[in-house]
Each structure stands twice: as C-alpha cells, then as structure tokens.
Amino acid sequence: SFISWVLFKVNKPGPSIFLLVLMLFLVPIGLFYANEFGSYKSFSLILMLNLISIIYLVGRKFYDIDTILITIASVFLLYGLFFGIYLNISGFNFSEREVIGFNGPIVFGQYMIISFSIFLIYWKRIKAVIAYLISFLSLSKSVMITGILSIFLNSQNKIKLFLISLPILFLAFQLFDFNTEVRVLYWIQFITDFETLLTLSSFSARAAAYTQSYELISNSYQGLGLGGWMDISYLRYPHNIFLEILVEFPLFFGLLLIFFMFTFFMIIKDRRYKILFCLMLFMALFSGSLIDNRGIFFITMLFLLSDFNHNKLSQNDEH
C-alpha cells in the first residue's frame, strides 16, 4: 500500500492502481481460506510487483523498456542454452518430461518462447531461432503452437504465414508423439471421433479439470480459497488461469480481477505489450498455475511504469 502511494505521488496512477488491484489476492486469505500453496501464490505475485516498482522508483531516469526486454530475453536464452547443453551431455532423457533446470519442462519451454518472441519483436533473427529450437526440449505441443502464434502476431502477411504454419504444426504433432501406434491413432481419431482423441493425449486431464471447474463455479460462488483446488483434485491447479481465479476466489473478486486485467490491456497501447500479453495469456489458458503465469502481471506492470502510450517499433513494422 505504501509503494502504491509513492507511485501515485510520482505521477504514476496506472501502476499505483494496478498494484492495489492485485492486493485482491490477499482478500481471500483474510476472509476465507488459503492453504500453504495458495498463500505462496498470492504473496509471491505481490512481492514481484513490489520489487519491480522499487527498482523503477530507485532508477527512474534509467528505466528503459527496450533494454529490460532484451535483457530478459537474453537471460532466458542463456538459461536455456546452459541447461540444454548440460543435460544433453549428461544423458538426460527429455522424453520423460522431467524438470529441466529449475522448472518443469512446459514452463521451461514457455521461457524459451518468451525469449523467442522478444527477439522476434526486435528483429534479432538468429537469437530468435536458437530460442525456438531450445523450446523443443519441452516436448510440448502448446509451446510450439505458441511459437507459431508469435510469428503470426509479428507478421504483416497473415494469410501466407497461416498456409506455411499448417504443415509445420502437422509435423510438430508427429514429432512429439513417440509411440507410432498412438501417433497413427491420434490422427485417425482426430478425423473420426473427438472424444477418443481426448483419451490419447494430455487433453483428457485438461478437459476433466475444465468440466470440474465449471461445476464448482456453478455450485458455489464463495470459492475454494487460494490453493483450494489441490484439496479436491490430484492436480494442483486446473491449468487455466481464468478457471483458477474463478474457482479459488470468491466469484465477485475473481471477475473483478479479470475485468481489471483486460482493462489495463486495453489502456496500454504499445504493440510490444499487446503481443507479449497475448502470448503469455495463450500459454496460461492451457498450462501452469498463477505462479507459472506471473509473467502476465509482470509485463503489464513493466509497461505501466513506462511510457506505455508510445507505440514504438515503427522500423520493425517495415520488416
């Protein structure tokens, strides 16, 4: 609250309000229920936004969004390169979908896609290609599809890119299904029977979680409490950021938080923000918890603290 007040005093009402809105994460802890995981989710998010605000307040004269984004992309790329090379040398079995570096394989892949997308925005092709290739280590279809979406959002010729992307996506699905029998069945069922298709892929667990979330929202508006999903399911979270918010928060607070998320999305005019927000949100719809998807709130605060109404990258748009 103090940092929010300081931001307001230095003529930054946007990030000041955004920080106060995110304090809604604390409301369910005080009024309703939160387990250890839920408390960790809320405090880690608020702490992250406070640290960003403090860094800005300490060095406002040197706050440059381009430098920050390129630095983030470079750090993620080095992280991916180091663990990619190290784990290959050590004989790591990537097909087991175990932890890569300090993260699960899908979150690791998401970091690489964020790096790829930032380099793509700034037209750094070689680094972008390297980051995208490293993302393959995650063996995640959603990660690869997000990479294609990133190219699509940065492209001027959408129709041409769409036609190029279709065979790439087909090859991606073939590549990541290691069992030949399952791979053949996958495409047969895709054409003939969607329900059976769900049982042959990770979609089945996601679909069950989404159905359960809808039932929980319909039966109670009070919410399960932060982290409450893991108390009723073998999954720790429903793998969808909106369902996680609506199921664990009291419905009113959940809807209010989602409303503010999109309000700030509409307020910030910067093309770089629009692209990164959409990509992070797309990944958050299929995987991870609020912890894994903090980037959505991070990137919003980052641009709120900058001159977010200035749409740069005019030279890149020419490409």
Side-chain angles (χ1 to χ4, degrees):
S1 298
F2 173 73
I3 293 176
S4 178
W5 176 78
V6 174
L7 287 171
F8 187 80
K9 294 294 289 184
V10 298
N11 199 28
K12 284 292 179 180
S16 173
I17 295 171
F18 186 68
L19 197 58
L20 287 176
V21 169
L22 267 294
M23 293 290 283
L24 285 173
F25 275 92
L26 293 178
V27 174
I29 296 177
L31 297 181
F32 301 99
Y33 164 78
N35 56 28
E36 184 178 356
F37 180 53
S39 300
Y40 172 65
K41 286 196 293 187
S42 60
F43 281 109
S44 63
L45 176 59
I46 293 171
L47 177 62
M48 178 191 71
L49 296 181
N50 275 276
L51 288 175
I52 299 171
S53 302
I54 292 171
I55 291 170
Y56 168 79
L57 291 169
V58 170
R60 277 182 287 165
K61 295 181 180 179
F62 307 100
Y63 191 88
D64 178 64
I65 197 72
D66 298 306
T67 302
I68 293 172
L69 290 177
I70 291 295
T71 301
I72 290 172
S74 300
V75 169
F76 282 170
L77 181 59
L78 289 174
Y79 172 69
L81 277 172
F82 175 81
F83 281 104
I85 294 171
Y86 170 75
L87 292 175
N88 269 294
I89 293 175
S90 64
F92 182 82
N93 186 359
F94 290 97
S95 63
E96 295 296 327
R97 304 293 294 274
E98 296 177 353
V99 172
I100 302 177
F102 303 105
N103 306 101
I106 296 180
V107 175
F108 175 87
Q110 290 176 347
Y111 285 170
M112 296 306 105
I113 290 300
I114 292 171
S115 176
F116 162 72
S117 302
I118 294 173
F119 285 134
L120 205 60
I121 288 172
Y122 289 98
W123 212 247
K124 298 182 182 294
R125 298 181 181 181
I126 296 177
K127 292 180 179 178
V129 169
I130 295 173
Y132 191 49
L133 291 176
I134 296 174
S135 73
F136 287 12
L137 299 178
S138 68
L139 302 179
S140 169
K141 300 181 186 72
S142 63
V143 166
M144 176 167 281
I145 293 172
T146 306
I148 297 295
L149 177 62
S150 177
I151 299 173
F152 186 81
L153 292 175
N154 278 282
S155 172
Q156 299 300 312
N157 194 332
K158 309 292 187 186
I159 298 177
K160 179 181 178 181
L161 181 62
F162 176 74
L163 295 175
I164 295 174
S165 300
L166 285 179
I168 295 177
L169 289 175
F170 178 83
L171 290 174
F173 277 68
Q174 295 290 310
L175 176 65
F176 289 109
D177 287 321
F178 290 94
N179 187 308
T180 304
E181 181 181 354
V182 171
R183 184 167 60 238
V184 173
L185 286 173
Y186 189 96
W187 289 104
I188 292 175
Q189 298 302 333
F190 182 82
I191 298 172
T192 61
D193 186 355
F194 184 74
E195 286 189 16
T196 308
L197 168 64
L198 294 179
T199 65
L200 297 175
S201 66
S202 59
F203 291 143
S204 58
R206 299 287 195 277
Y210 299 161
T211 302
Q212 188 176 14
S213 298
Y214 174 77
E215 292 174 352
L216 289 168
I217 296 171
S218 302
N219 294 332
S220 175
Y221 301 132
Q222 185 172 342
L224 297 174
L226 290 179
W229 176 270
M230 65 182 299
D231 295 337
I232 58 135
S233 172
Y234 70 95
L235 298 172
R236 299 187 74 193
Y237 38 84
H239 290 273
N240 179 293
I241 189 170
F242 293 143
L243 292 179
E244 186 174 359
I245 291 173
L246 294 175
V247 169
E248 295 190 349
F249 280 70
L251 187 59
F252 172 77
F253 287 112
L255 291 173
L256 190 62
L257 181 58
I258 293 173
F259 169 78
F260 274 105
M261 284 173 61
F262 283 100
T263 297
F264 284 107
F265 174 77
M266 298 303 296
I267 289 174
I268 302 174
K269 305 300 182 183
D270 198 300
R271 173 176 170 270
R272 297 163 296 180
Y273 168 75
K274 298 289 188 183
I275 292 174
L276 293 172
F277 181 93
C278 288
L279 293 172
M280 292 179 183
L281 182 62
F282 181 79
M283 292 188 287
L285 294 178
F286 303 103
S287 186
S289 70
L290 284 170
I291 292 291
D292 305 316
N293 296 308
R294 284 174 295 183
I296 294 173
F297 304 98
F298 173 85
I299 201 72
T300 300
M301 179 59 90
L302 208 60
F303 277 90
L304 282 173
L305 290 168
S306 70
D307 183 15
F308 58 81
N309 281 315
H310 182 52
N311 192 353
K312 301 179 79 173
L313 292 181
S314 57
Q315 61 180 9
N316 288 337
D317 286 339
E318 294 176 2
H319 292 292

